[in-house]
Amino acid sequence: MEVNNRYITITKHIQGSAKESDFELKVAPLGLSVEPGSNDIIVKNLCVSIDPYQLNRMKSYSSSQKTVQAADGISPGQPIDALGVAKVLVSDNPEFVKDDLVVGFVHWGEYSVVKGGGMLRKVDPKTELPLSYHAGILGLSGLTAYAGLFEICKPKKGDKVFVSAACGSVGNLVGQYAKLSGCYVVGCAGSRDKVALLKEKLGFDDAFNYKEETDLNSALTRYFPDGIDIYFDNVGADMLEAAVANLNPFGRVAACGTIAEYSETAKRAAPNMIDVIYKRIKIQGFLAMDHKSLHSDFLSTTTEYIQNGKIKVQEDISIGVESIPLAFIGLFRGDNVGKKIVKIADE
Amino acid sequence: MEVNNRYITITKHIQGSAKESDFELKVAPLGLSVEPGSNDIIVKNLCVSIDPYQLNRMKSYSSSQKTVQAADGISPGQPIDALGVAKVLVSDNPEFVKDDLVVGFVHWGEYSVVKGGGMLRKVDPKTELPLSYHAGILGLSGLTAYAGLFEICKPKKGDKVFVSAACGSVGNLVGQYAKLSGCYVVGCAGSRDKVALLKEKLGFDDAFNYKEETDLNSALTRYFPDGIDIYFDNVGADMLEAAVANLNPFGRVAACGTIAEYSETAKRAAPNMIDVIYKRIKIQGFLAMDHKSLHSDFLSTTTEYIQNGKIKVQEDISIGVESIPLAFIGLFRGDNVGKKIVKIADE
């Protein structure tokens, strides 16, 4: 048996901002059979995660940046792997059978062959949560927020926490976790609607629209008259500079993303190093994948918070594999409100 | 009894680079008596430490940088406190008597009244080391190197360590401690003589003159073909950027000084935050004063290293209180080779 697999690729390496013409919807026949002994699995993808970091994988790198590329660059014409939820169609792996619902790295496409099947995990049917949650809040976005806040920033009750891109997939959760830890939390976002959402639905103590501020430094001084203890950075650039200027002694910065710098490579944060030294500031980059030891804690804690309503889930869902390029490009324009997911098929 | 006390002050707050005209030698009579019950001590200063960080205390700050100023700003016309070695002339403090040799915060001047006497410590006569060592390698410069390397960077055997301003008071020690920890150590400095000193006397594996390099990034790639694990930053600016570009995953930066940024406030390091994130880099500011718990370890270890010749002491000594302004200004031109000390009087 064979299906036509529609999937998204890049047409060339991307420099600067991503445009629609950088992407292509390819169609290729896919035989629904696996090599005995391969452990391979073929899945039908139900929903996939859309994340800004993918842009970094789509660039071409000079040798001096080989570490970043080594993370795993995306080649033009090839399927693009991403976290998703899928249904097993064919399995040579004894741990999975047809119709199992799984979460793991699949592709921005309708079907995926998962080699060896090793990285997939069965969806726990007992949680009775929407399947998309497993690709978002209970996936890498959630683990990123959890690890970055708790491991890198170590929040204490009463700490003042600032989160940028606070309506994004990671930021909204960081703020909610920080509130549950007894912190004072202010977020920034790029529209009035998002600001309202942060304050009214997601429980932030305060929020502001950075596009309405002419001076980020004094805006932060206004929102944090007693200074910032923790800055969870999703944007880099001038917001990072302003946050460092407003950090308290022993302030911590979790460097999670730098979306402002992903597209415009020339625009870089130049934090005042005199502040960094005298205030003993720690700026620490991190990746969720280094914190897998937290995964089961993260999953049980977060699932419970969702089930008892202590954490609100904010998703932004587009429909159909063909919507992926615009969904992705929209991340950099701030189109999404919450975790961006593309739903590819019904269960 | 009364003496004429000659001491250095600033004539106004300093913006940008320090010039000779920013300083003044003042003369004021000082009565050699202390109030009974005050615990005050009057000392004759023998030598004082000359350190770049004093420039930050001489600036005037906007309210947004109040944390730095709060460290303790220097007011025009007032004596400037600095670490030094001195001899007790008069003491109301029962712990000290006339002729005791002490180390602690005195002033850039011939005499000091040390209020309460609390921060002074007697020089251990058993060490039989030159007195200047207590203001330099066994003083804050040494503790800064020790705390920054061991507490912030946590060197492991085989780590590749890069030190900037490697002939400076802190840098030369960082390199020597790192060598004693089994690391591969490269330093940079601003002259061929300093480079020779690093390699031939101070035991660095390699060293280079940054003024002869047109591209710091590729220079570091040349000196560290396998990348940098630890960067001990004394200079900030483009050297910090280049180091971050060459750091290995999980690289650590001890932000100790940013001498390139002390004078020219516009010139700031803009490290690539994508590197910081993907390589999980930690950039951490620190001050020696937060690591007082290490002090006795530091002192005994370093004294032993000096005594058995495992650490070479590199000092640069000027004579006379009137030489202080030029000694200080010279720090920012790279005039000093090793720890800058001004000897004010013989014992």
Side-chain angles (χ1 to χ4, degrees), chain A residues 3 11 20 60 70 101 103-104 107 116 122 138 175 245 298 343:
Chain A
V3 291
T11 55
E20 271 197 87
S60 69
L101 289 172
V103 58
H107 298 100
K122 278 188 220 181
L138 296 175
F298 150 72
K343 184 173 171 186

Side-chain angles (χ1 to χ4, degrees), chain B residues 215-237:
Chain B
D215 178 347
L216 294 174
N217 197 334
S218 55
L220 287 178
T221 306
R222 211 164 66 238
Y223 284 96
F224 291 95
D226 300 322
I228 299 170
D229 299 302
I230 290 173
Y231 173 45
F232 196 99
D233 186 22
N234 291 307
V235 304

Side-chain angles (χ1 to χ4, degrees), chain A residues 282-285, chain B residues 151-152 251-253 280-284:
Chain A
K282 179 178 81 166
I283 300 175
Q284 171 122 38
Chain B
E151 290 287 293
I152 308 294
R252 293 136 273 163
V253 176
R280 294 82 122 192
I281 289 169
K282 179 179 82 166
I283 300 173
Q284 171 124 37

Side-chain angles (χ1 to χ4, degrees), chain B residues 16-71:
Chain B
S17 304
K19 308 174 296 297
E20 271 197 85
S21 61
D22 293 325
F23 298 92
E24 186 180 9
L25 181 70
K26 280 201 169 183
V27 186
L30 177 68
L32 295 185
S33 66
V34 290
E35 189 79 22
S38 65
N39 272 333
D40 289 354
I41 299 170
I42 299 177
V43 298
K44 180 183 174 193
N45 299 323
L46 305 179
C47 61
V48 291
S49 177
I50 310 293
D51 299 284
Y53 79 87
Q54 301 276 15
L55 182 60
N56 296 319
R57 304 178 58 210
M58 296 170 184
K59 299 174 187 170
S60 69
Y61 287 95
S62 64
S63 59
S64 68
Q65 285 191 293
K66 53 187 182 290
T67 317
V68 177
Q69 188 181 29

Side-chain angles (χ1 to χ4, degrees), chain B residues 123 126 137 150 273 334:
Chain B
V123 170
K126 288 202 302 290
I137 187 168
F150 293 112
M273 290 304 294

Side-chain angles (χ1 to χ4, degrees), chain A residues 53 56 59 64-65 67-68 71 217 233 240-241 245 247 249-250 255-258 261-262 268-287 289-290, chain B residues 53 56 59 64-65 67-68 71 217 233 240-241 245 247 249-250 255-258 261-262 268-287 289-290:
Chain A
Y53 79 87
N56 295 320
K59 298 175 188 170
S64 68
Q65 284 192 295
T67 317
V68 177
N217 197 334
D233 184 22
L240 174 54
E241 292 177 22
L247 276 173
F250 303 101
C256 174
T258 176
E261 301 181 33
Y262 290 174
R268 282 205 200 158
N272 186 336
M273 289 304 293
I274 296 181
D275 275 341
V276 170
I277 296 167
Y278 280 86
K279 299 196 287 192
R280 294 82 121 191
I281 289 169
K282 179 178 81 166
I283 300 175
Q284 171 122 38
F286 75 101
L287 297 175
M289 65 187 227
D290 298 323
Chain B
Y53 79 87
N56 296 319
K59 299 174 187 170
S64 68
Q65 285 191 293
T67 317
V68 177
N217 197 334
D233 186 22
L240 174 54
E241 292 177 22
L247 276 174
F250 302 101
C256 174
T258 176
E261 302 180 34
Y262 289 174
R268 280 205 200 158
N272 186 335
M273 290 304 294
I274 296 182
D275 275 342
V276 170
I277 296 167
Y278 279 88
K279 299 196 286 194
R280 294 82 122 192
I281 289 169
K282 179 179 82 166
I283 300 173
Q284 171 124 37
F286 75 101
L287 297 176
M289 63 187 229
D290 297 323

Side-chain angles (χ1 to χ4, degrees), chain A residues 68 87 138 144 152 233 319:
Chain A
V68 177
K87 189 172 196 170
L138 296 175
T144 301
I152 308 294
D233 184 22
I319 308 292

Side-chain angles (χ1 to χ4, degrees), chain B residues 140-185:
Chain B
L140 280 179
S141 303
L143 183 59
T144 301
Y146 192 87
L149 182 67
F150 293 112
E151 290 287 293
I152 308 294
C153 300
K154 302 196 188 302
K156 296 184 302 294
K157 196 176 169 186
D159 273 353
K160 279 94 188 157
V161 177
F162 175 51
V163 187
S164 55
C167 263
S169 58
V170 174
N172 89 80
L173 269 175
V174 169
Q176 294 190 74
Y177 285 134
K179 280 304 297 173
L180 290 166
S181 305
C183 299
Y184 179 82
V185 181

